[in-house]
Amino acid sequence: NGSTFIIKDAASLDEFAKQVKAATTDAPFTKDVLFVADVDASQCKEALDFTWNSVHKVNGVSKVATINGNGYAVKNLTTPLFNYLYANVRGLHIRNAKINETVNPNVGTLARRIYTTKEVGPVYVEHCSASGEIVVNCENYTYNGAAYDPHSVGGIVGVVGGITCRNCINYTNVLIKQTVKKGNTTWVCPCTGG
């Protein structure tokens, strides 16, 4: 129906990414998303790792969109699927991800960060899973010209804020390759998890 965006292949995932990137604060992309097949992300032409804030009002009540993976998988990601994500996610699987991270201090296969807002209340990630590998090379991080340690690395999501994560399984191997020395302090990745 008109309120659901269907993802059936790499081309439709590309189109979803384009529409979300073209959205504005005044006109956000608010459709629910339904996967109807596995998607090979290596066939995508549009850059992934994009931000989607789906917060919108329905009859004066703040809501977020829902991504229903329907048990299907996004395969062969080389970046997180999302950067910041403000949406519910159900039944979406990430398979055979191979993420080599040297730029962003927060990493997960599904998203770098998933947040909610006070108006919306808790959002959820449920019945999701991830497999593959995330390699983080801390030595290459910089912040304001100085070496910088990664904040949070997780197989599914790097940073969570006000969300409920339930019935999810992480099979992703997470490897922090190096520590970073700043003056007399040696930094390591402070938050690593599922």
Side-chain angles (χ1 to χ4, degrees):
N1 73 44
S3 64
T4 301
F5 189 94
I6 304 296
I7 296 180
K8 60 184 178 180
D9 53 20
S12 53
L13 181 55
D14 278 341
E15 184 57 30
F16 168 62
K18 284 181 192 172
Q19 289 189 30
V20 169
K21 291 176 191 178
T24 64
T25 304
D26 294 330
F29 184 94
T30 60
K31 291 183 179 183
D32 289 331
V33 175
L34 177 66
F35 280 76
V36 295
D38 289 342
V39 175
D40 184 351
S42 70
Q43 302 301 309
C44 289
K45 295 181 176 30
E46 187 72 18
L48 300 176
D49 195 7
F50 57 97
T51 293
W52 181 25
N53 183 349
S54 73
V55 177
H56 61 285
K57 293 203 182 267
V58 176
N59 298 323
V61 177
S62 292
K63 301 202 176 274
V64 294
T66 296
I67 300 168
N68 183 350
N70 210 18
Y72 291 105
V74 177
K75 300 176 179 178
N76 305 316
L77 284 165
T78 57
T79 66
L81 182 55
F82 294 97
N83 184 1
Y84 280 87
L85 178 62
Y86 296 79
N88 294 314
V89 186
R90 176 189 312 122
L92 182 61
H93 306 287
I94 307 295
R95 295 285 176 264
N96 196 37
K98 297 273 189 243
I99 299 174
N100 243 323
E101 187 57 63
T102 60
V103 178
N104 193 308
N106 302 299
V107 190
T109 58
L110 174 63
R112 294 181 186 279
R113 305 165 189 89
I114 298 182
Y115 288 116
T116 188
T117 65
K118 288 181 184 176
E119 297 82 19
V120 171
V123 299
Y124 61 82
V125 176
E126 65 181 12
H127 304 291
C128 295
S129 68
S131 68
E133 181 178 76
I134 298 173
V135 176
V136 179
N137 186 344
C138 302
E139 187 176 49
N140 294 331
Y141 284 101
T142 59
Y143 180 71
N144 291 335
Y148 191 62
D149 62 305
H151 284 277
S152 300
V153 180
I156 299 173
V157 179
V159 178
V160 295
I163 76 161
T164 299
C165 188
R166 56 186 171 237
N167 299 317
C168 294
I169 300 174
N170 173 42
Y171 298 104
T172 309
N173 293 317
V174 176
L175 174 63
I176 308 302
K177 281 181 107 170
Q178 299 186 21
T179 57
V180 175
K181 208 158 171 76
K182 290 195 280 187
N184 293 325
T185 305
T186 300
W187 294 81
V188 295
C189 181
C191 300
T192 304

